[in-house]
Amino acid sequence: MPIDDITQKVSERYAKAASTGEQMCCPTSYDMGHLKTFIPEAVLTISYGCGTPAGLKTVQVGETVLDIGSGGGIDCFEASRLVGSTGHVIGIDMTDTMLEIARKNAAVVATNLGYSASNVEFRKGLADAMPVQDGTIDLIISNCVINLAPDKRKVFQEMYRVAKPGGRFTISDIVSDQTVPQYLVHDAQKWGDCLSGALTLTDYMRGMTAAGFLGIHLVKSSPWRVIDGIHFFSVTLTGYKLPPAPTTSSVQYATLRGPFSRVVDERGTTYQRGIPQPINPDDELLLSAPPFAEHFLLAAEPVTFDSHDPRWTAVFPADAPCTWQGQYALLAGPFVEAADDDHHVYRRGEPLEICSKTVAVLESGRYQPHFVILNRAGDRVSGEAVTCAPNGGCC
Ligand SMILES: C[S@@+](CC[C@H](N)C(=O)[O-])C[C@H]1O[C@@H](n2cnc3c(N)ncnc32)[C@H](O)[C@@H]1O
């Protein structure tokens, strides 16, 4: 299907949904009771997202927020409340019917929030050529839209262009655990269902990194659909457009605390747990931001520590029977590669089959935020335990 056809068909699909109020798309976890107190029903009915990017404590008072593919405006209106009357929200959408509904309700929301004028504007435009000035946005949000755009590389570049230095994104979207085959890519109906255009998690995060964003990491994920063995799931990701670093800094070294035994960051630097690694001011900026900060000790002098030191963190598998239940782990940033204490090397977005003991490890505190765990087995699991390694490690 040519690119223009995809865009046209997706727009027609969402125009029809907006005018009929048809239910579409994916799992979200909005607090509808709360949203109903200030957002009209006409907007809430046509909420077609796959996450809650504005509702995750990411929006700050006074910020300028951009919502790519704003639809009926649900996330713009929640952002409007959160930025307060001093903030500003811009929604971009290509579909006129969506824009009409969103614009019509902006004044109602402003009144409900007690604002003298609406702080939200809706502009017509494409995600890969946004009518937004360079370097003007504090926070970019988007909810189940980028998968619908035929040229994601351009969308990621546009996001980087409009973000302020020091700006960030929090985006919910559908991704897949393997490359979507051509017979689905060329299925117009499934484009509109947020399936055909889904990138793998690896390609999604790589595309963001290639555009210039750093520190890309998982905030939330939930399963969506399985088609012909391909798992489609929603992820909410955050990443940063770092500001220029100060030219000098007292911090010269970073020591990885764990629980990973080794990690590789997006710039290709390897950190071994307990071993100080020389860093520059750019690295310091990144490593002092969440979610890196809790994993590193930053210091002016090299600091070395071992497993007896309370700063060292590790999680070992239990000494218990091991079963293979069909689970796969996908590392979802902020590192491109990471090793645990039991022979596994995880690469960003690539499914790695893991046994029940490793599931328990990765679901524990410090590992849990970094992984999506999928079950590819369906009901074909015997559940029989296999012999453990003599040292209690994984089978
Ligand atoms: C799945 S809906 C999500 C709408 C909204 N974010 C929400 O959560 O309800 C996708 C929206 O993105 C818009 N859209 C899809 N592709 C787009 C593109 N390439 N450029 C701009 N808007 C796009 C559609 O018109 C539609 O309103």
Side-chain angles (χ1 to χ4, degrees), residues 14 47-49 69 71 75 93-95 98 125-127 143-145 148:
Y14 282 97
S47 140
Y48 298 138
D75 294 311
D93 206 286
M94 66 177 177
T95 304
M98 287 289 188
L126 286 169
N143 200 349
C144 226
V145 176
L148 299 169

Side-chain angles (χ1 to χ4, degrees), residues 68 101 127 198 228 288 310-311 374-375:
I68 306 173
I101 294 171
D228 297 343
S288 47
R311 292 169 294 188
L374 302 174
N375 193 321

Side-chain angles (χ1 to χ4, degrees), residues 125-139:
L126 286 169
D128 61 15
M130 293 193 278
V132 177
Q133 277 190 333
D134 295 2
T136 52
I137 305 297
D138 294 296
L139 170 66

Side-chain angles (χ1 to χ4, degrees), residues 58-237:
T58 52
V59 182
Q60 310 287 323
V61 171
E63 287 192 322
T64 300
V65 177
L66 168 69
D67 182 8
I68 306 173
S70 42
I74 182 167
D75 294 311
C76 286
F77 295 137
E78 174 65 340
S80 162
R81 182 182 73 82
L82 292 165
V83 295
S85 57
T86 59
H88 186 53
V89 182
I90 303 166
I92 304 270
D93 206 286
M94 66 177 177
T95 304
D96 287 317
T97 320
M98 287 289 188
L99 288 165
E100 277 159 31
I101 294 171
R103 285 176 181 145
K104 203 163 92 188
N105 286 286
V108 182
V109 171
T111 306
N112 291 344
L113 291 173
Y115 297 165
S116 55
S118 176
N119 60 358
V120 189
E121 57 170 313
F122 292 96
R123 301 181 187 169
K124 181 165 180 169
L126 286 169
D128 61 15
M130 293 193 278
V132 177
Q133 277 190 333
D134 295 2
T136 52
I137 305 297
D138 294 296
L139 170 66
I140 300 168
I141 60 172
S142 183
N143 200 349
C144 226
V145 176
I146 297 174
N147 75 82
L148 299 169
D151 190 342
K152 277 115 178 127
R153 191 178 55 94
K154 267 167 92 180
V155 178
F156 298 147
Q157 288 170 348
E158 276 292 271
M159 288 170 57
Y160 194 77
R161 177 184 68 77
V162 302
K164 284 181 186 171
R168 65 204 187 283
F169 67 80
T170 296
I171 292 214
S172 302
D173 211 348
I174 298 292
V175 292
S176 58
D177 69 339
Q178 51 196 289
T179 303
V180 175
Q182 292 300 309
Y183 70 86
L184 289 178
V185 169
H186 293 284
D187 181 326
Q189 170 76 17
K190 290 199 171 53
W191 267 96
D193 290 341
C194 299
L195 297 166
S196 300
L199 292 181
T200 61
L201 181 58
T202 307
D203 287 345
Y204 205 98
M205 297 182 103
R206 194 183 282 150
M208 292 284 203
T209 313
F213 289 105
L214 285 168
I216 302 156
H217 63 277
L218 183 71
V219 178
K220 221 173 166 181
S221 72
S222 54
W224 163 224
R225 287 175 67 179
V226 182
I227 297 181
D228 297 343
I230 305 163
H231 287 245
F232 294 89
F233 52 102
S234 83
V235 285
T236 299
L237 303 172

